[in-house]
Amino acid sequence: MLTIKASLHWLVVWLLLVLLVGSCGAFFLWSLETVTAQRLAHPWLLWLLPLAGGLVSWVYWRWGGEVEAGHHLLLRKADEGAPVASKPVPLRMLPLILGGTLVSHLFGASVGREGTALQMGGAVADQLRLGRTWTSSERRCLMLMGLSAGFGAVFGTPWAAAIFALEMTYRQRFEWSTLLACFLSAWGADQVAQFWGATHPHEVVHLFASWTLILWAKLLVAAMLFGLVARLFLLACQGLAGWMQRSIHFPPLRPVLGGSLLVLLVMTLGGEAYLGLSLPLLSAAFDQTLPWWDSLAKFGLTLLSLGTGFKGGEVTPLFVIGATLGNTLAVWMQLPISAMAALGLVGVFAAATRTPWASSVLAIELFGLDIALFALFVCWIACWVAGRRGLYTPKT
């Protein structure tokens, strides 16, 4: 049982956490819109992508230290076995990942925003121990609250954010009190972000007219394809990143080469729609038939960006890859486009992150309760196909 003093302490920590992370999330979303608008208004900025990527990589190489590990560092700190007296996550993680991500988007790298949200939330949370003696489990709870707050502020899905933080640290036992703390943190940060003007647009989804064995057979095939694409994405990203590290020992040179190839591909073959977050492409996947190669193109440019060291996240690109793939499968299978885009979005995300419960809840928060059974089915099948390793599986 918490004493009154301990309860007040947790309340102060929660208030500081949601205010700080929610405000950071709102600023991040506003900044993303601003730099994206600048890139669209000045297409020549793409030519500077190699130089910009090399500069960010040099800053990380020179001053990043352990924060280069990104979310893997946060997960290690959240581990219950971590020493209570260990140093907090370096606060420089916040400006480095924020600045690096904004630079990536300003100059056209195909990256996301979830990595930034998680790292901002975790870095802020670990600074809030306020001189009190913390147990390992309390520190883990605080770290998970920060991760949830970051995800919730940027994506506006507090229940999915809370479950996501717990599910990505699957090695630890489940605690309802931690889930509640994570939800309150995600909800509070989202409310603060909305107070500052952050918005989270949701798509309208038209589900299937009737449930038949043929429908479920089609969904089974689609779910298996979503899982396969997620597995290929993980293997390709890890393979390219590993090859770059073995072949190019000077880290800043990797995004210079990757950015140069990306610019060459976009300028010769086209592909401006696949740069940055590609939110217009994501929205289009729900209401119009798209070319079958959209998913492949976003896959390739995201692989090239992340695999060569550009800063950002994987989640929003995975959303786009999944939604556009679902759009294509809807045409082939003669199913509603919006429903398959929604299931593709959460299916590929679930398989890549190994978070089927959080992804199913994400589907409910984004598209409504009626999609729940379909989302559960697709997410679990996709995870089974993708295998046991995901984006947040600890490195061995």
Side-chain angles (χ1 to χ4, degrees):
M1 290 291 293
L2 288 176
T3 64
I4 295 178
K5 182 179 179 180
S7 299
L8 290 174
H9 187 273
W10 274 105
L11 179 60
V12 171
V13 168
W14 175 80
L15 285 171
L16 289 173
L17 179 67
V18 299
L19 287 172
L20 291 172
V21 177
S23 298
C24 287
F27 174 75
F28 177 48
L29 291 176
W30 172 82
S31 300
L32 274 179
E33 292 181 1
T34 301
V35 298
T36 299
Q38 289 299 310
R39 175 176 59 79
L40 294 175
H42 305 93
W44 56 266
L45 287 172
L46 181 63
W47 290 101
L48 300 179
L49 177 64
L51 179 61
L55 178 60
V56 170
S57 182
W58 181 81
V59 170
Y60 264 86
W61 177 66
R62 180 67 177 81
W63 290 290
E66 63 178 340
V67 305
E68 178 71 32
H71 59 256
H72 289 292
L73 173 63
L74 299 178
L75 296 181
R76 287 201 301 270
K77 295 290 187 179
D79 193 323
E80 282 189 346
V84 177
S86 64
K87 295 181 180 179
V89 173
L91 189 57
R92 65 180 180 276
M93 172 179 274
L94 195 157
L96 283 177
I97 189 59
L98 177 61
T101 302
L102 293 177
V103 168
S104 295
H105 283 280
L106 176 62
F107 294 97
S110 178
V111 295
R113 53 191 176 180
E114 133 281 338
T116 308
L118 294 177
Q119 291 180 50
M120 287 194 306
V124 169
D126 212 32
Q127 313 301 315
L128 297 179
R129 287 185 277 173
L130 303 179
R132 176 178 174 267
T133 300
W134 292 71
T135 65
S136 292
S137 59
E138 287 176 335
R139 186 187 183 189
R140 173 177 180 267
C141 181
L142 177 61
M143 183 68 74
L144 295 182
M145 288 167 62
L147 297 176
S148 302
F151 194 102
V154 170
F155 289 99
T157 53
W159 276 115
I163 298 171
F164 179 77
L166 290 171
E167 204 168 10
M168 67 191 291
T169 55
Y170 63 94
R171 293 173 299 156
Q172 307 294 341
R173 66 181 183 273
F174 178 84
E175 294 180 352
W176 287 103
S177 58
T178 303
L179 174 62
L180 178 60
C182 288
F183 167 74
L184 291 175
S185 300
W187 173 82
D190 179 38
Q191 294 300 306
V192 171
Q194 290 188 50
F195 171 81
W196 289 117
T199 58
H200 310 288
H202 293 176
E203 303 294 339
V204 176
V205 172
H206 302 285
L207 291 174
F208 313 103
S210 60
W211 296 14
T212 64
L213 288 178
I214 294 178
L215 169 63
W216 288 103
K218 290 179 179 179
L219 292 180
L220 175 62
V221 173
M224 295 176 70
L225 289 174
F226 297 150
L228 178 61
V229 167
R231 181 172 178 81
L232 290 175
F233 180 83
L234 293 175
L235 292 175
C237 279
Q238 293 166 2
L240 178 58
W243 181 81
M244 295 291 286
Q245 291 169 8
R246 293 190 301 270
S247 303
I248 303 174
H249 299 293
F250 185 54
L253 187 57
R254 299 167 194 161
V256 170
L257 295 177
S260 299
L261 181 55
L262 188 149
V263 172
L264 179 63
L265 289 172
V266 172
M267 290 302 175
T268 55
L269 302 178
E272 291 81 1
Y274 312 117
L275 301 178
L277 294 174
S278 300
L279 293 182
L281 180 62
L282 177 62
S283 181
F286 284 83
D287 55 29
Q288 59 185 276
T289 301
L290 299 177
W292 62 268
W293 59 80
D294 276 346
S295 183
L296 180 62
K298 185 62 178 177
F299 184 111
L301 292 189
T302 302
L303 165 64
L304 189 57
S305 299
L306 295 174
T308 58
F310 285 92
K311 299 302 177 183
E314 303 91 350
V315 169
T316 304
L318 287 171
F319 285 172
V320 178
I321 293 168
T324 52
L325 177 58
N327 181 285
T328 298
L329 293 178
V331 176
W332 292 350
M333 295 179 175
Q334 297 183 335
L335 294 174
I337 287 176
S338 60
M340 292 301 293
L343 292 175
L345 184 153
V346 296
V348 173
F349 170 64
T353 58
R354 297 291 303 165
T355 57
W357 288 114
S359 301
S360 301
V361 173
L362 178 70
I364 295 171
E365 289 189 286
L366 290 177
F367 310 119
L369 184 60
D370 291 343
I371 203 173
L373 186 59
F374 301 111
L376 280 167
F377 177 81
V378 166
C379 289
W380 278 97
I381 294 296
C383 282
W384 173 72
V385 172
R388 301 186 63 178
R389 297 194 63 82
L391 284 172
Y392 306 110
T393 302
K395 293 182 178 179
T396 55

